[in-house]
Amino acid sequence: MTDQFHRLLMRVQKPARYVGGEYNQIIKDKKDVDVRVAFCFPDTYEIGMSNIGMRILYGVMNEMSGVWCERVFAPWGDMEDKMRAHGLPLWALESHDAVRDFDLVAFTLGYEMCYSNVLNMLELAQIPLLSKDRRGLENIVFAGGVCAVNPEPLADFIDFFSVGEGEESTPEIIECYRAAKKQGLTKLEFLHEVAKIEGVYVPSFYTHTYHEDGTLAAITPEPGAPERVKKRIVQDMNTAYFPTKTIVPSTQIVHDRSNLEIFRGCIRGCRFCQAGFCYRPIRAKSADVLCKQAIESLEDSGNSEITLASLSTSDYRELEALADGLLDYCEPRKINLSLPSLRADNFSRELMMRIQKVRKSGLTFAPEAGTQRLRDAINKNVTEEEILSTCATAFSGGWNSVKLYFMLGLPTETDKDVVGIAELVYKILQVWRENGSGKKRGLSINLATAYFVPKPFTPFQWAAQITPEEYLRRVHLLQANLHAKCVDYRYHESDLSRLEAVMARGDRRVGQALLEAHRLGCRLDGWDEYFDYEKWLEAFRRAGLDPDFYTTRGYGVDELLPWQTIDVGVT
């Protein structure tokens, strides 16, 4: 590191975000490396290091001979300001080399509101933002993650997308690049070769044309480009790569614990849930494999907590056997075993009583809607009776806090459904009064509502999003019907969710608004400290686009959708 860099670290918050040097980071000798990958997470260190997918792919790439993958995170505003003032380019944590010195620059896209960070990180790295302006075989920019199922808003900036799960496709992509580099291929020749890999989408090989009303008229592939790109799927989770020897952060992160992925996919079919459709089919690991991976991870990291991660943990068929095996290891060592993503229709008091022996945490459930009619409409297969029965079981076992998540603006929602949320909360309070075993402490209900965002590849992908004004009216209607002092109600801001819907369902023209937003200084949009809605509205005005076209307009059921080039395996 340079003396200048050391001086800057003394003047920013949380300098440990920027220095690397963590236990288990991977260092390689450059003379033994012929492909270098800058693996970029378009958010802060604390968020990125909590991402299990990034940890998996970091390990996958570094297992390859001659390949060195290093981590890159978005700097916080104070560090970015110092970097710009002193001309310091964005760097990778392991070597501290500038990102512009790498062969491949890979982004993982887990949230639509990180798109401005992608552009900001490229600029900080002193790499041209537009794909057409990067002409050589160096600094090839590609991206994956769940947001890649609609790649079009980023089509002008990303050279190619890796669609689906990356454990098997990423090594194929790197080997393809290695061969192209050895053969001295041009960038265009390499893109033609990499496009032959299943799951790879090269946006420049497709032309989008539009009707006069702004709707998409046609998507025309170049000769040789597939009409549809099929997502990649890892078939056998038991043999799939999983990092048990993983980086231990030097500073606190959001999920400061070991994470154990128990299965992919979801047996439910909630009509609003993009992950539930895009991560199909269901593939589970065996309890024996999971126990072995968990113990190895805990032994190596020294973490005092482990979380069983999935879309619906209580649907794992071997959950009790797995919990028993893990608790035999965790209990005597005072290691907390956490089960998020529980469902009210298969909650086991016996299991939870065992799990909470180390530390009793609150319960979290997501009924999503306040009435049975609306829960049926969204295919949320949980009844009010199951919710109340589960709460009664928990309260009688000593629990005194519960978190409840709902959405406002779901298709077919009425005021009766909104008021139904308050009525359900009151019924839960009544259940606690009848069953609570720790009444001296009182009940705590944390209630949160989100602004519904229709997502691609869900049955609601065509639905119109309600207006921000209507969303806030429903928020206030709910607030007016919440009377209990034990309820802490919080709701998502409408501005951010409106933009999320634009990015989720946007076409290629949204890329121009994204570029204008970047020029206006938009960055770190997922953080209240930096999100500036007025700048985004100005960006859309400059681009000649109306956000309502992608939100409140909805999409016709016969309309050509921007993401129809992608095949996630579900119609």
Side-chain angles (χ1 to χ4, degrees):
M1 292 187 200
T2 64
D3 290 339
Q4 181 189 54
F5 183 63
H6 276 294
R7 288 195 297 272
L8 293 184
L9 288 177
M10 301 297 290
R11 298 161 60 190
V12 299
Q13 298 178 48
K14 300 182 181 179
R17 290 166 165 165
Y18 310 109
V19 297
E22 306 102 318
Y23 178 70
N24 280 341
Q25 74 167 16
I26 296 174
I27 301 295
K28 295 190 177 183
D29 192 328
K30 291 180 189 178
K31 68 175 183 292
D32 298 326
V33 172
D34 56 4
V35 177
R36 298 188 69 185
V37 183
F39 194 6
C40 302
F41 191 91
D43 211 317
T44 62
Y45 178 93
E46 295 94 319
I47 304 294
M49 285 301 296
S50 300
N51 185 276
I52 192 170
M54 187 168 191
R55 288 176 178 267
I56 290 172
L57 292 180
Y58 177 83
V60 165
M61 286 185 267
N62 280 310
E63 288 274 297
M64 299 177 67
S65 177
V67 176
W68 190 10
C69 171
E70 303 182 49
R71 297 160 298 140
V72 185
F73 300 98
W76 193 245
D78 56 351
M79 175 55 91
E80 179 183 334
D81 293 342
K82 301 289 189 298
M83 291 167 63
R84 291 185 182 278
H86 293 85
L88 188 66
L90 188 65
W91 64 91
L93 293 189
E94 280 75 6
S95 66
H96 303 115
D97 289 343
V99 172
R100 67 188 178 203
D101 296 336
F102 285 68
D103 299 299
L104 295 166
V105 180
F107 284 92
T108 182
L109 308 172
Y111 177 42
E112 291 84 357
M113 295 315 299
C114 76
Y115 291 176
S116 60
N117 292 343
V118 173
L119 271 61
N120 200 45
M121 290 175 74
L122 287 174
E123 183 176 88
L124 289 172
Q126 300 173 5
I127 293 173
L129 301 186
L130 296 171
S131 175
K132 65 181 182 180
D133 294 334
R134 300 189 297 267
R135 302 176 188 275
L137 203 59
E138 68 282 346
N139 299 154
I140 297 290
V141 178
F142 73 104
V146 69
C147 291
V149 298
N150 179 20
E152 299 310 325
L154 287 171
D156 291 338
F157 313 102
I158 305 297
D159 294 315
F160 67 90
F161 291 85
S162 175
V163 182
E165 296 162 355
E167 288 97 325
E168 295 170 358
S169 60
T170 303
E172 294 172 16
I173 289 167
I174 292 174
E175 289 297 349
C176 182
Y177 179 84
R178 196 199 310 255
K181 191 176 178 182
K182 288 181 179 178
Q183 296 167 25
L185 300 186
T186 64
K187 177 181 176 179
L188 181 59
E189 289 171 331
F190 163 68
L191 290 178
H192 278 290
E193 290 302 312
V194 81
K196 297 174 184 177
I197 297 173
E198 185 179 52
V200 170
Y201 171 65
V202 181
S204 60
F205 291 171
Y206 299 81
T207 301
H208 289 219
T209 54
Y210 301 88
H211 295 295
E212 286 188 8
D213 65 359
T215 58
L216 194 59
I219 301 174
T220 308
E222 276 189 11
E227 287 196 12
R228 300 196 74 195
V229 173
K230 187 177 180 181
K231 74 170 183 183
R232 289 294 290 269
I233 297 170
V234 174
Q235 297 290 350
D236 187 354
M237 291 297 293
N238 279 331
T239 58
Y241 177 86
F242 185 81
T244 57
K245 187 180 178 65
T246 187
I247 295 172
V248 178
S250 300
T251 187
Q252 188 173 20
I253 61 175
V254 173
H255 299 308
D256 209 356
R257 53 184 177 256
S258 293
N259 286 287
L260 187 67
E261 184 186 28
I262 60 176
F263 71 92
R264 288 185 191 167
C266 185
I267 68 170
R268 315 289 174 162
C270 301
R271 295 188 172 113
F272 57 84
C273 182
Q274 186 180 53
F277 286 92
C278 290
Y279 286 124
R280 292 184 180 184
I282 298 161
R283 291 141 295 146
K285 296 180 184 179
S286 71
D288 290 342
V289 168
L290 289 168
C291 278
K292 182 175 182 293
Q293 291 178 345
I295 292 170
E296 288 179 5
S297 177
L298 289 167
E299 291 278 359
D300 185 74
S301 66
N303 285 328
S304 60
E305 181 175 358
I306 185 165
T307 296
L308 305 186
S310 74
L311 292 176
S312 183
T313 299
S314 52
D315 286 326
Y316 177 58
R317 291 183 178 180
E318 297 183 69
L319 183 58
E320 290 198 20
L322 172 61
D324 285 341
L326 291 179
L327 286 167
D328 287 343
Y329 175 84
C330 293
E331 278 188 51
R333 294 166 178 81
K334 304 298 182 184
I335 295 172
N336 189 52
L337 177 60
S338 173
L339 267 68
S341 306
L342 295 175
R343 288 185 58 93
D345 56 354
N346 57 10
F347 176 89
S348 166
R349 177 181 172 182
E350 292 72 23
L351 175 61
M352 291 305 295
M353 290 295 287
R354 280 209 64 194
I355 286 173
Q356 302 290 348
K357 282 184 179 178
V358 177
R359 186 174 77 239
K360 181 172 289 187
S361 57
L363 296 171
T364 301
F365 297 111
E368 307 296 358
T371 64
Q372 196 59 48
R373 182 206 66 81
L374 187 53
R375 283 193 292 274
D376 291 342
I378 66 176
N379 206 35
K380 184 75 177 184
N381 294 312
V382 60
T383 66
E384 182 176 289
E385 182 182 355
E386 288 168 336
I387 295 169
L388 297 179
S389 175
T390 293
C391 288
T393 299
F395 296 154
S396 65
W399 275 266
N400 289 288
S401 66
V402 61
K403 294 180 181 178
L404 300 170
Y405 291 101
F406 295 85
M407 282 186 278
L408 293 177
L410 286 161
T412 78
E413 184 180 70
T414 66
D415 284 0
K416 184 177 180 180
D417 300 307
V418 176
V419 174
I421 296 174
E423 292 172 347
L424 180 58
V425 169
Y426 179 73
K427 290 175 183 177
I428 290 171
L429 174 57
Q430 289 297 106
V431 167
W432 177 81
R433 287 171 176 164
E434 295 167 4
N435 297 274
S437 64
K439 294 185 179 179
K440 289 184 179 179
R441 290 183 53 200
L443 176 65
S444 171
I445 299 177
N446 292 294
L447 171 64
T449 58
Y451 184 5
F452 169 66
V453 176
K455 293 291 183 85
F457 297 107
T458 68
F460 290 154
Q461 66 179 357
W462 299 274
Q465 188 182 42
I466 62 172
T467 65
E469 294 78 15
E470 174 59 19
Y471 167 71
L472 291 175
R473 186 192 72 79
R474 298 185 193 188
V475 165
H476 297 145
L477 175 62
L478 176 55
Q479 283 177 324
N481 284 274
L482 292 170
H483 306 298
K485 293 182 179 180
C486 66
V487 179
D488 179 18
Y489 173 45
R490 303 191 180 190
Y491 58 90
H492 290 194
E493 294 298 327
S494 60
D495 299 343
L496 194 67
S497 295
R498 186 188 186 211
L499 282 177
E500 183 184 341
V502 174
M503 295 300 165
R505 296 199 297 184
D507 53 41
R508 289 194 176 184
R509 295 170 298 183
V510 171
Q512 183 58 43
L514 181 58
L515 185 58
E516 293 293 345
H518 168 71
R519 289 169 176 163
L520 289 167
C522 291
R523 56 177 178 169
L524 296 170
D525 290 302
W527 297 85
D528 292 342
E529 297 94 322
Y530 288 96
F531 178 60
D532 191 329
Y533 189 52
E534 291 305 316
K535 285 183 179 179
W536 275 100
L537 293 180
E538 174 61 23
F540 277 96
R541 283 191 288 269
R542 291 186 182 185
L545 294 175
D546 181 359
D548 287 346
F549 182 82
Y550 305 100
T551 58
T552 56
R553 176 182 74 90
Y555 286 70
V557 292
D558 297 323
E559 185 176 335
L560 183 62
L561 301 172
W563 51 90
Q564 284 189 204
T565 310
I566 306 301
D567 177 7
V568 300
V570 180
T571 63

